[in-house]
Amino acid sequence: MIQIREIDHLVLRVIDLERMLRFYCDVLGCSVERRVDDSGLVQLRAGRSLIDLVSVAGRIGRAGGAAPGKEGRNLDHFCLRLEPFDADEIRRQLAAHGIAAGPLASRYGAEGVGPSIYVTDPEGNVVELKGPPS
């Protein structure tokens, strides 16, 4: 059985990255943890979790289509931290429900780099299932 411990991170597609940084850092008290400028990504520490901001003009943001608004989404995906993380068992459970799972990959999250699998919910929302840091 899949057991969710917490939300690991949330990824927002943004039009004005600097304005969003001011809001999340200056207003809400987040801090910049990591920048990947060639991807247009800034990861903010939000307690034990991360809020990722991706510029719609950047490599990751462009992949999401139109900018946030009526014609485009601003949520790229959200991530659930699983514990325990048994990739084979997770795949079996997903398959039993007719859910296709993406490849197992090592990705960065709130606790560092660790295993993760992407799935898509019935309405097209992408959900990352994340394990502990490697």
Side-chain angles (χ1 to χ4, degrees):
M1 177 170 174
I2 294 174
Q3 295 180 21
I4 298 170
R5 190 182 79 182
E6 62 197 5
I7 291 176
D8 182 270
H9 66 273
L10 179 74
V11 181
L12 296 175
R13 297 176 67 248
V14 303
I15 296 167
D16 187 338
L17 182 59
E18 292 307 314
R19 184 175 181 212
M20 292 293 275
L21 282 169
R22 285 192 302 274
F23 174 78
Y24 281 99
C25 294
D26 298 346
V27 177
L28 297 183
C30 294
S31 60
V32 174
E33 174 150 326
R34 185 170 171 252
R35 291 186 84 112
V36 185
D37 292 326
D38 63 329
S39 296
L41 166 70
V42 179
Q43 294 180 300
L44 305 177
R45 176 60 55 184
R48 290 174 43 144
S49 303
L50 293 176
I51 297 172
D52 294 359
L53 303 177
V54 294
S55 169
V56 295
R59 181 179 55 81
I60 297 171
R62 285 192 307 269
K70 291 182 181 181
E71 303 302 318
R73 58 194 174 102
N74 73 339
L75 176 66
D76 182 80
H77 73 276
F78 66 95
C79 178
L80 299 173
R81 171 65 164 82
L82 306 184
E83 195 166 294
F85 187 91
D86 179 334
D88 293 332
E89 179 58 31
I90 291 166
R91 286 184 178 287
R92 278 192 289 278
Q93 185 170 343
L94 293 169
H97 291 278
I99 305 295
L104 178 66
S106 183
R107 296 184 177 95
Y108 189 83
E111 298 176 299
V113 176
S116 87
I117 298 171
Y118 284 139
V119 298
T120 303
D121 78 12
E123 293 195 2
N125 296 298
V126 178
V127 181
E128 181 180 352
L129 305 176
K130 184 99 172 55
S134 301

